[in-house]
Amino acid sequence: DIDHLNLRVQKELVEWLNWLKADIGFDGWRFDFAKGYSADVAKIYIDRSEPSFAVAEIWTSLAYGGDGKPNLNQDQHRQELVNWVDKVGGKGPATTFDFTTKGILNVAVEGELWRLRGTDGKAPGMIGWWPAKAVTFVDNHDTGSTQHMWPFPSDRVMQGYAYILTHPGTPCIFYDHFFDWGLKEEIDRVLSVRTRHGIHNESKLQIIEADADLYLAEIDGKVIVKLGPRYDVGNLIPGGFKVAAHGNDYAVW
């Protein structure tokens, strides 16, 4: 165990971080198991090393109902993520992985896409509250891969990417999906839409429809994304939009 309250430990870790920056060329940090030490300590490391980007892994359990599925209201879960960023410094480079969005997406793509519209009409994850500080993802080395601790439904992974790559927040692509699953070209097509239209971490999200079999949203008035098996949605798509990417139960205009 590392005693992060020990001043010598803090000093040596800060020196190491600055060495990684100056000599090796790293410019961002990932704080593993960030709930294992206080945000005040993380603030010390960030303030004294000044990375251009920092992201924390704060993985806690969602609130579940008697049916074993996540409750519609996950405010307490995403509040914990927001609190960490607040304490570290909201104006700085600190962000957190949006585990709230990950957990809701896991279930939503299994025929419960209504979950993707919160009670306030916004996205139900951290991206609905503070998208500039939310790093979205479909799976990572813990949840997917060989550890398989909380995997995304494997046959619906591209629905997950269609969501995070078109929505506000900072999307993160999982190495396994990109290089090992044969999804590189499909992910690239959706990613190119984000890049081409300048979708960014604070883009404006308008949710058009969120039913069991259909999620439809418009981002910045430039991009529309559809998830779900419902096929006939032409009447909901404004004129001038053309399909730019599509696959199993998703499309991007």
Side-chain angles (χ1 to χ4, degrees):
D1 291 346
I2 297 175
D3 181 6
H4 288 284
L5 298 179
N6 184 300
L7 296 182
R8 179 180 174 184
V9 169
Q10 292 178 8
K11 178 176 179 292
E12 292 187 355
L13 280 174
V14 168
E15 288 175 353
W16 177 64
L17 290 171
N18 282 312
W19 172 79
L20 286 172
K21 263 184 71 180
D23 289 23
I24 307 301
F26 286 102
D27 62 356
W29 316 133
R30 176 188 182 276
F31 288 88
D32 191 54
F33 192 64
K35 65 179 182 179
Y37 45 93
S38 74
D40 295 328
V41 168
K43 178 176 171 59
I44 291 171
Y45 298 140
I46 290 174
D47 288 351
R48 295 181 187 175
S49 64
E50 298 184 336
S52 61
F53 179 75
V55 59
E57 179 203 43
I58 304 167
W59 185 359
T60 57
S61 179
L62 272 66
Y64 290 90
D67 59 358
K69 293 183 178 181
N71 294 336
L72 181 60
N73 187 320
Q74 295 293 337
D75 286 357
Q76 184 176 348
H77 192 268
R78 56 180 172 171
Q79 186 66 56
E80 189 170 355
L81 303 178
V82 166
N83 289 348
W84 189 91
V85 175
D86 264 334
K87 288 179 182 177
V88 172
K91 293 183 179 179
T95 65
T96 63
F97 286 111
D98 191 349
F99 277 92
T100 317
T101 289
K102 152 70 173 168
I104 293 169
L105 259 180
N106 268 23
V107 180
V109 297
E110 300 274 30
E112 299 182 2
L113 291 165
W114 49 267
R115 292 179 176 274
L116 297 180
R117 177 160 53 193
T119 53
D120 58 1
K122 300 179 181 180
M126 186 181 177
I127 59 171
W129 278 1
W130 203 356
K133 295 297 183 177
V135 176
T136 51
F137 66 102
V138 174
D139 264 328
N140 63 27
H141 61 284
D142 289 322
T143 67
S145 195
T146 54
Q147 297 203 65
H148 222 59
M149 294 170 67
W150 199 29
F152 203 85
S154 60
D155 59 336
R156 300 169 195 265
V157 161
M158 277 307 304
Q159 287 188 58
Y161 281 111
Y163 183 88
I164 70 169
L165 292 177
T166 57
H167 278 52
T170 301
C172 184
I173 298 168
F174 186 35
Y175 182 101
D176 290 24
H177 294 157
F178 198 72
F179 292 105
D180 299 338
W181 284 39
L183 296 176
K184 181 179 185 297
E185 290 186 7
E186 207 170 345
I187 290 172
D188 266 340
R189 277 195 294 273
V190 182
L191 182 57
S192 68
V193 174
R194 182 184 187 89
T195 304
R196 191 162 61 245
H197 293 282
I199 304 303
H200 54 87
N201 60 4
E202 292 187 277
S203 285
K204 183 182 178 183
L205 172 67
Q206 179 192 354
I207 299 172
I208 301 170
E209 198 71 66
D211 293 329
D213 63 343
L214 173 67
Y215 172 79
L216 194 69
E218 185 175 313
I219 302 88
D220 282 348
K222 301 175 181 176
V223 172
I224 292 177
V225 61
K226 185 211 86 160
L227 305 183
R230 193 186 302 180
Y231 183 77
D232 185 15
V233 296
N235 61 314
L236 298 173
I237 307 298
F241 281 86
K242 295 181 179 180
V243 175
H246 63 91
N248 183 29
D249 287 345
Y250 78 89
V252 180
W253 287 263

